[in-house]
Amino acid sequence: FSKNSGRSRYTYFSESMDQLLSRRQEMEGDMRAALKTGNEFQVHYQPIISALDHRVKGYEALLRWEHPKFGSISPELFIPIAEETGMIEAVGEFVLREACKAAAKWSGKSVAVNVSGVELRDEGYAAKVRKILLSTGLSPQALELEVTETVATDEASAVVANLDALRAIGVQIAIDDFGTGFSSLGRLRTLNVDRIKIDRSFVQGFGEKAGDEAIIRAIVELAHARGLKTTAEGVETSLQDAGLVKIGCDSLQGFLYSKPVPLRDIEHISTPAGSPS
Ligand code: C2E
Ligand code: MG
Ligand code: MG
Ligand code: MG
């Protein structure tokens, strides 16, 4: 390596790091401003389908940020920024309130809301959820909170106390993206939750990679042995749909049925397109 090439590479690297940093700072400031008005944030809803009859049984709330300059920013990008800057509490409260308000008007359909570990480490979280349920009139049984495996296995006392308090009033707890975290299948024996959402990476290999089908089978069997329900995420083909139904997954979610859509559009999704009758 010549000194020069090393040097120019270093310069290039540091410049792009600078750019990344300033763009991130810009985003941070914009998020703070957007949270005040609420105008750029919108909650979208993706149907969750019963595997028994392919009817919509509920929706997952997914946050969207339409930035005036950058366009639509993925939650995979802005949620971590919100977590690191303390804005996640306001973000989470916004989504939860919107979702509960919407679900209170649906008859018999539930709503699932993603919760960050940062929110659950706040001792007042369960009380905050209860307040929002009361003010929106949604029954706790119609609310499901999705947490990651890491959060579900967190032994921090506030996390455990919040999850216990929420389950005690009837709120459902689901483990999101199951299979991507550190915990082993054996961990399913002791987890104090109501539902397992099987990560879409396994669902996508269905019918192509024999191993993925075996993993889904094992997760569903273990979950059912413990009385937990299962949802398969990221269902995109009718081949996956048929296989998951056969295995005995309880619920299905994915682009095959519908993408996440704005609230005003969900009245139109009663029988999902693409599902067998
Ligand atoms: P997640 O909770 O696992 O949500 C499922 C993600 O998969 C969503 O991406 C959804 O649009 C996408 N998806 C659904 N069906 C399919 C499919 O068939 N194929 C493919 N390829 N993708 C599918 P999205 O909306 O971009 O959200 C990404 C992640 O951001 C979420 O993953 C969740 O972890 C996080 N997130 C979104 N909204 C919130 C929120 O309000 N609060 C928190 N804390 N996190 C959120
Ligand atoms: Mg989720
Ligand atoms: Mg997921
Ligand atoms: Mg995910």
Side-chain angles (χ1 to χ4, degrees):
F1 297 106
S2 78
K3 248 189 178 172
N4 266 346
S5 73
R7 199 184 157 103
S8 67
R9 235 191 302 164
Y10 172 75
T11 307
Y12 172 74
F13 186 64
S14 67
E15 268 169 12
S16 69
M17 284 303 277
D18 269 2
Q19 274 173 0
L20 267 172
L21 215 88
S22 71
R23 181 187 277 234
R24 203 194 129 106
Q25 272 161 358
E26 189 180 353
M27 228 186 259
E28 224 181 279
D30 291 350
M31 201 189 295
R32 225 173 275 282
L35 268 173
K36 286 215 182 89
T37 68
N39 292 338
E40 294 163 20
F41 288 106
Q42 204 183 11
V43 181
H44 282 201
Y45 296 88
Q46 186 178 34
I48 298 169
I49 308 297
S50 163
L52 282 180
D53 54 11
H54 283 88
R55 281 174 184 276
V56 177
K57 48 180 287 177
Y59 297 89
E60 178 174 358
L62 293 155
L63 186 58
R64 298 290 175 258
W65 182 15
E66 190 63 34
H67 190 284
K69 187 168 130 200
F70 301 133
S72 161
I73 303 177
S74 165
E76 314 246 23
L77 193 73
F78 71 75
I79 292 289
I81 297 179
E83 287 177 332
E84 284 158 35
T85 54
M87 284 185 268
I88 192 66
E89 302 214 342
V91 170
E93 189 167 336
F94 170 79
V95 177
L96 188 64
R97 195 178 295 280
E98 289 290 304
C100 290
K101 217 177 2 174
K105 296 185 190 131
W106 306 334
S107 50
K109 292 190 176 73
S110 57
V111 73
V113 176
N114 295 283
V115 180
S116 155
V118 176
E119 292 175 90
L120 277 161
R121 264 175 249 133
D122 165 14
E123 278 170 15
Y125 184 71
K128 183 153 114 183
V129 174
R130 194 161 353 131
K131 235 173 76 188
I132 292 175
L133 285 169
L134 283 172
S135 70
T136 56
L138 184 69
S139 104
Q141 288 77 14
L143 175 66
E144 188 163 280
L145 297 177
E146 299 190 0
V147 302
T148 63
E149 239 169 287
T150 323
V151 173
T153 54
D154 192 335
E155 278 160 12
S157 57
V159 175
V160 175
N162 276 322
L163 291 177
D164 284 351
L166 288 163
R167 289 193 84 211
I169 61 165
V171 172
Q172 307 284 298
I173 305 294
I175 301 192
D176 207 350
D177 307 332
F178 188 82
T180 57
F182 278 113
S183 55
S184 65
L185 266 186
R187 203 53 217 258
L188 268 183
R189 282 184 295 144
T190 51
L191 283 174
N192 224 354
V193 298
D194 304 284
R195 177 182 300 276
I196 302 292
K197 296 191 78 173
I198 303 165
D199 190 67
R200 72 161 179 265
S201 58
F202 302 112
V203 174
Q204 253 132 44
F206 204 98
E208 287 163 31
K209 285 191 261 166
D212 286 349
E213 189 171 332
I215 287 171
I216 297 175
R217 227 178 257 285
I219 295 173
V220 170
E221 222 167 278
L222 260 163
H224 285 171
R226 275 220 46 218
L228 312 183
K229 288 160 280 180
T230 53
T231 301
E233 302 185 297
V235 184
E236 291 181 353
T237 70
S238 38
L239 192 84
Q240 290 162 358
D241 172 282
L244 290 160
V245 168
K246 203 166 151 197
I247 283 179
C249 249
D250 303 283
S251 307
L252 309 164
Q253 189 180 351
F255 294 166
L256 175 65
Y257 317 104
S258 169
K259 293 198 167 179
V261 295
L263 181 60
R264 61 176 177 276
D265 291 352
I266 63 177
E267 294 110 63
H268 307 297
I269 318 168
S270 47
T271 314
S275 67
S277 48

